């Protein structure tokens, strides 16, 4: 079995069971089946890629452009009911990625909508990066494509 066979998103793409609201060259935008708020859209590549690191630069670019279009459309359709949006991508189970297929959430937001990111302030301040960690991170960022 290949990765596509085990992926629910790939199955939905193949079977045409997503509620597709936009198509691009290598991505689609679909209505989330378990929306946080009305109008919640997912933007995902049509090719199986488990997370951000597995995406091609062209897929990433197209995902961001389609997410921007989705954001504008959500604001236009729902008007003043949408006070802002969250764009969210989780990568890996520890980051709460529920489906192992890269996808970018475009979530309409309004004050008091009940959805919030919670942060444990008791964890702060974190130990800053030491010089070697900072240098290694900078080097990796400079050398990766």
């Amino acid at each position: 079995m290949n990765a596509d066979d085990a992926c629910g998103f790939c199955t939905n793409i193949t079977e045409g069971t997503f509620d597709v609201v936009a198509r691009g060259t290598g991505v689609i935008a679909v209505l989330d089946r378990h929306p946080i708020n009305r109008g919640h859209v997912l933007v995902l590549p049509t090719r199986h890629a488990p997370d951000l690191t597995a995406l091609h630069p062209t897929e990433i670019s197209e995902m961001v452009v389609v997410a921007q279009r989705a954001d504008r459309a959500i604001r236009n359709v729902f008007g003043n009911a949408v006070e802002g949006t969250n764009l969210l991508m989780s990568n890996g189970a520890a980051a709460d990625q529920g489906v192992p297929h890269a996808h970018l959430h475009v979530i309409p937001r309004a004050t008091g909508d009940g959805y919030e990111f919670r942060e444990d302030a008791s964890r702060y301040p974190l130990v800053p990066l030491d010089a070697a960690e900072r240098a290694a991170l900078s080097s990796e960022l400079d050398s990766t494509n």
Side-chain angles (χ1 to χ4, degrees), residues 14-38:
T14 301
E15 295 177 356
T17 54
F18 269 134
D19 189 352
V20 177
V21 291
R23 293 185 187 279
T25 303
V27 306
I28 57 174
V30 303
L31 292 178
D32 192 301
R33 289 190 175 155
H34 304 285
I36 289 170
N37 285 317
R38 295 178 69 244

Side-chain angles (χ1 to χ4, degrees), residues 6-58:
C7 176
F9 281 6
C10 287
T11 300
N12 287 319
I13 291 167
T14 301
E15 295 177 356
T17 54
F18 269 134
D19 189 352
V20 177
V21 291
R23 293 185 187 279
T25 303
V27 306
I28 57 174
V30 303
L31 292 178
D32 192 301
R33 289 190 175 155
H34 304 285
I36 289 170
N37 285 317
R38 295 178 69 244
H40 180 165
V41 170
L42 301 179
V43 181
L44 58 146
T46 54
R47 175 186 72 86
H48 181 77
D51 60 23
L52 179 68
T53 63
L55 292 170
H56 300 304
T58 55

